[in-house]
Amino acid sequence: LLPDKKIGIFILSNQKAFSALSAVTHEELEDALDLEDKDWFEELAKKHFASKQKAFANAKPDTPADYQP
C-alpha cells in the first residue's frame, strides 16, 4: 500500500514460480513511482535458478548398504 499515492497493489496467483509475484509487484511499483525501468523478471529468475543449481549441485540418491545387482 502506498497511501500517499493512493495506490494499493493486490496480486492473486495459484503458484509462485521463481519469485514471479515479487517481479510483478516490483514492476507495478516502478510504474506507480516513476522509477527507472529494470527487468525484474530476468533478475529474479537468474537468482532463483542460480540458487536451485547450487542447492542441487551435490544432490544424489543414497546407495543402499546391502546393494545386490
Side-chain angles (χ1 to χ4, degrees), residues 11-23:
I11 299 170
L12 298 174
S13 175
N14 64 351
Q15 55 84 31
K16 188 174 183 178
F18 67 84
S19 304
L21 298 177
S22 295

Side-chain angles (χ1 to χ4, degrees), residues 14-66:
N14 64 351
Q15 55 84 31
K16 188 174 183 178
F18 67 84
S19 304
L21 298 177
S22 295
V24 169
T25 303
H26 291 331
E27 291 287 341
E28 290 303 318
L29 287 172
E30 277 181 352
D31 290 343
L33 300 173
D34 295 324
L35 300 174
E36 182 179 340
D37 188 37
K38 186 175 184 180
D39 190 349
W40 288 102
F41 291 98
E42 181 70 22
E43 183 172 322
L44 294 174
K46 283 180 184 178
K47 287 180 183 179
H48 171 78
F49 290 114
S51 68
K52 290 287 186 190
Q53 186 175 17
K54 183 179 176 182
F56 292 118
N58 297 318
K60 61 181 180 179
D62 292 332
T63 303
D66 60 345

